[in-house]
Amino acid sequence: MQLKQALIAVGLQSLAFSAQAKDISEIDKSLLELYADDRPGASIIIKQGDQVLLEKGYGLANMEWGIANNKDTVFRIGSISKQFTAVAILMLMEQEKLKLDDRIDLYVSDLAEDTAAVTIEQLLNHTSGIPSYTGMPNWLTQMKQDKSPTEMLAYFKDAPLEFTPGSQFKYNNSGYFLLGMIIEKVSGQSYEAFIEENIFTPLGMNESYYGHPKEVVANRATGYEFHGKWQNSDYISMTQPYAAGSLLSSVGDLALWVEAVNSYKFISKQTTQKAHTKTVLSNGEEVDYGYGWSLSSVRGSESIAHGGGINGFITYSQYIPSQDLYVAVLSNHMHTPNPTMVAKVIAADMLGKSYPKFSDKNVDFDKKALTPFVGQYRIDDNNTRKLFLQGDGVFTQRTGGSVMQVRQVDQATFVYPDSLSYFTIEQNEQGDVTGMLMRQGGDDEQFASYLGSELPEPKKAVEIDTAVYDSLVGRYKLADNFILEISRDGDKLFAQATGQQKLQIHPLSPTSYFYKEVDAQIEFVEQDGKQSLILTQGGRDMKADKLD
């Protein structure tokens, strides 16, 4: 499902990291400018081989007491926890206590028939088809409740699979929750005890814990969110992320962990290589994920990494094997800058292949010079990207996507906010526009050919009798774990998809509505006394029946 609205925020292209690899003082200087000392920040480590080049905190660990982050600050690491869960499973496999092709109902009882046949490996690589409980209806309303693993399992165990296991990749937390239950069943220990006794203690990871909120943890950071002003993050019971994201750690401890994994301390070289190998789907397609690790590249160099996000914290841990280079960024806020981007910028600098450093200054808006770039660009058979001017700004929108404002940094180059992505308008010798060369994440190139200057007419809201809204209000089922809720606030109508932002929808007629932020439209229909809606987005029509 789509309906995601991108956030426009401060761009990472303003980072002025060193253009010279290994100039740590320049990187440190840029980080000090990036993380203000009066707001939440991050702890960061750069380690190459046996040498720790930088291990330092930036910004505040606690705003109320003015306590700064330091190298020993302890953060919630969110889904980086999945690496520990994956290795625990692989340890038990090598001890011949389980097999990766085992059905999960050998270890977890009372599952729906299709779910029971899912294998342990399909949980590890997110190809199970089991819906993620964190994306299911009403999960946000129950995340503060303490629950046992069995009670949590009851929340999602009967949900139908979203696809045939092994046929698709869809990142989800339910799979790793189940892996935690399997670890407990096979080992006879709690998940917490197994990780503590078999990983944390042997490695001397003295700043790593299961994230119980009531326990006193030295140097624990407070998590924050920004909604016009800084606020403490919403509470979440750490019984709920469990084996999918419950752990706490520091950058130094994570460096110990990565070194241990890469020296095969817990699992063999052969098993480690399998965990760091891309998944192959049943149709032969490769997916950039192994067992608990994402597999991609930074400026052409292989990257083994994982990020995490949990109330008040965003994190990223990245290893570049060719350079024996490790970079981790653990932040105690859910705002810019994004730790993934910061870590990638640092890694690229250390590789001597820095991302382009665009000036903070925008090019003066020149409508006449920009007008030739306006129009539609063909990405593939089903998708286009339009570029248009509005006010004194330049905007783009991909088919089915959000409207994004971009920043012009030279005559034909535009960058996306809070991202390394940018594009350049290509022109021939006569100056005619031929296309748009997009660099996703600063690396992957994608060319979109220019179709012409004609743009679809923007949709305009019409005046209707808003009394009709009352008959439209309700919950509509797009999928088993994806609900679109229609609500009314005065003379405005809103739609909110599961786990996503509430957005206003605007009337084209009493039954037809559109979003301004997202390229999508909703048509309400009634047949045989039953009400439903059709969501049109990205060239797809998705029907959703109204729930009683």
Side-chain angles (χ1 to χ4, degrees), residues 6 14 35 52 60 79 131 178 189 192 195 203 281 286 292 335 337 379 385 403 406 425 448 465-466 494 531 536:
S14 62
Y35 294 103
V52 176
L60 295 176
S79 286
L178 284 162
Q189 296 179 282
E192 175 184 358
I195 298 298
L203 280 185
L281 301 177
E286 275 192 343
H335 195 54
I379 298 171
R385 187 182 301 279
V403 174
V406 293
I425 301 299
D465 183 356
T466 57
F494 293 86
Q531 195 166 16
T536 301

Side-chain angles (χ1 to χ4, degrees), residues 315-348:
T315 59
Y316 197 70
S317 169
Q318 176 173 262
Y319 179 67
I320 310 293
S322 63
Q323 301 296 315
D324 197 12
L325 173 66
Y326 179 64
V327 180
V329 180
L330 307 181
S331 68
N332 61 321
H333 59 87
M334 304 188 76
H335 195 54
T336 57
N338 185 311
T340 302
M341 299 298 104
V342 175
K344 289 183 68 174
V345 169
I346 292 172

Side-chain angles (χ1 to χ4, degrees), residues 112-367:
E113 183 177 352
D114 289 343
T115 302
V118 167
T119 67
I120 291 175
E121 183 175 38
Q122 289 163 347
L123 300 181
L124 285 167
N125 59 23
H126 299 290
T127 63
S128 68
I130 299 173
S132 184
Y133 66 92
T134 52
M136 294 180 72
N138 302 322
W139 177 74
L140 292 175
T141 65
Q142 69 151 32
M143 69 177 179
K144 298 179 181 180
Q145 301 172 19
D146 291 336
K147 294 192 175 185
S148 69
T150 301
E151 289 171 331
M152 279 299 299
L153 177 63
Y155 185 65
F156 65 87
K157 69 181 181 65
D158 294 323
L161 298 183
E162 295 183 319
F163 50 83
T164 302
S167 67
Q168 297 182 42
F169 171 89
K170 187 173 182 181
Y171 185 89
N172 80 90
N173 289 308
S174 297
Y176 273 75
F177 194 100
L178 284 162
L179 289 172
M181 297 185 72
I182 292 171
I183 290 167
E184 293 193 351
K185 176 71 172 180
V186 172
S187 70
Q189 296 179 282
S190 69
Y191 171 79
E192 175 184 358
F194 186 93
I195 298 298
E196 177 72 33
E197 293 181 19
N198 292 279
I199 297 178
F200 290 166
T201 298
L203 280 185
M205 294 177 66
N206 300 321
E207 295 168 344
S208 300
Y209 314 85
Y210 192 99
H212 296 295
K214 290 185 178 181
E215 286 189 1
V216 175
V217 174
N219 297 314
R220 189 205 294 248
T222 301
Y224 296 95
E225 301 173 6
F226 187 82
H227 302 287
K229 62 179 181 180
W230 287 108
Q231 300 174 356
N232 290 305
S233 63
D234 286 341
Y235 178 81
I236 178 173
S237 166
M238 296 300 280
T239 63
Q240 301 218 8
Y242 184 51
S246 63
L247 301 182
L248 310 177
S249 195
S250 66
V251 292
D253 269 13
L254 289 180
L256 291 175
W257 160 248
V258 170
E259 181 181 3
V261 170
N262 293 327
S263 60
Y264 319 118
K265 184 174 181 65
F266 297 112
I267 53 177
S268 68
K269 180 178 181 179
Q270 181 180 5
T271 300
T272 302
Q273 289 174 338
K274 178 62 177 175
H276 294 166
T277 298
K278 294 183 179 182
T279 294
V280 179
L281 301 177
S282 56
N283 64 1
E285 179 185 347
E286 275 192 343
V287 174
D288 294 339
Y289 200 94
Y291 302 154
W293 276 273
S294 297
L295 308 166
S296 58
S297 64
V298 174
R299 307 302 272 169
S301 294
E302 179 189 0
S303 168
I304 302 171
H306 212 288
I310 190 168
N311 301 32
F313 298 83
I314 303 179
T315 59
Y316 197 70
S317 169
Q318 176 173 262
Y319 179 67
I320 310 293
S322 63
Q323 301 296 315
D324 197 12
L325 173 66
Y326 179 64
V327 180
V329 180
L330 307 181
S331 68
N332 61 321
H333 59 87
M334 304 188 76
H335 195 54
T336 57
N338 185 311
T340 302
M341 299 298 104
V342 175
K344 289 183 68 174
V345 169
I346 292 172
D349 283 350
M350 295 297 298
L351 293 169
K353 300 177 181 179
S354 300
Y355 289 102
K357 305 299 191 292
F358 298 118
S359 169
D360 285 339
K361 296 182 179 179
N362 296 335
V363 175
D364 290 338
F365 185 83
D366 184 340
K367 186 174 182 178

Side-chain angles (χ1 to χ4, degrees), residues 377-489:
Y377 297 76
R378 170 66 64 190
I379 298 171
D380 54 38
D381 291 341
N382 299 314
N383 295 281
T384 62
R385 187 182 301 279
K386 64 181 180 181
L387 186 149
F388 59 98
L389 309 179
Q390 187 171 300
D392 290 340
V394 182
F395 295 81
T396 72
Q397 185 176 31
R398 182 181 172 125
T399 302
S402 305
V403 174
M404 297 281 291
Q405 184 171 6
V406 293
R407 187 167 66 87
Q408 185 181 10
V409 294
D410 66 27
Q411 182 180 357
T413 302
F414 302 81
V415 302
Y416 285 83
D418 196 29
S419 169
L420 297 174
S421 298
Y422 64 99
F423 64 85
T424 302
I425 301 299
E426 303 269 303
Q427 297 170 278
N428 60 23
E429 293 180 356
Q430 291 73 40
D432 299 323
V433 173
T434 58
M436 172 191 294
L437 182 62
M438 169 69 74
R439 291 173 176 85
Q440 296 281 3
D443 287 302
D444 299 333
E445 289 192 355
Q446 181 184 64
F447 184 76
S449 58
Y450 186 59
L451 296 179
S453 60
E454 186 174 349
L455 290 170
E457 283 291 324
K459 297 183 178 72
K460 295 183 179 179
V462 300
E463 290 188 9
I464 64 170
D465 183 356
T466 57
V468 72
Y469 291 172
D470 290 333
S471 65
L472 307 179
V473 167
R475 300 169 71 245
Y476 297 77
K477 183 179 179 181
L478 283 161
D480 289 306
N481 67 329
F482 199 75
I483 304 296
L484 190 61
E485 184 168 357
I486 307 298
S487 60
R488 176 179 182 172
D489 186 356

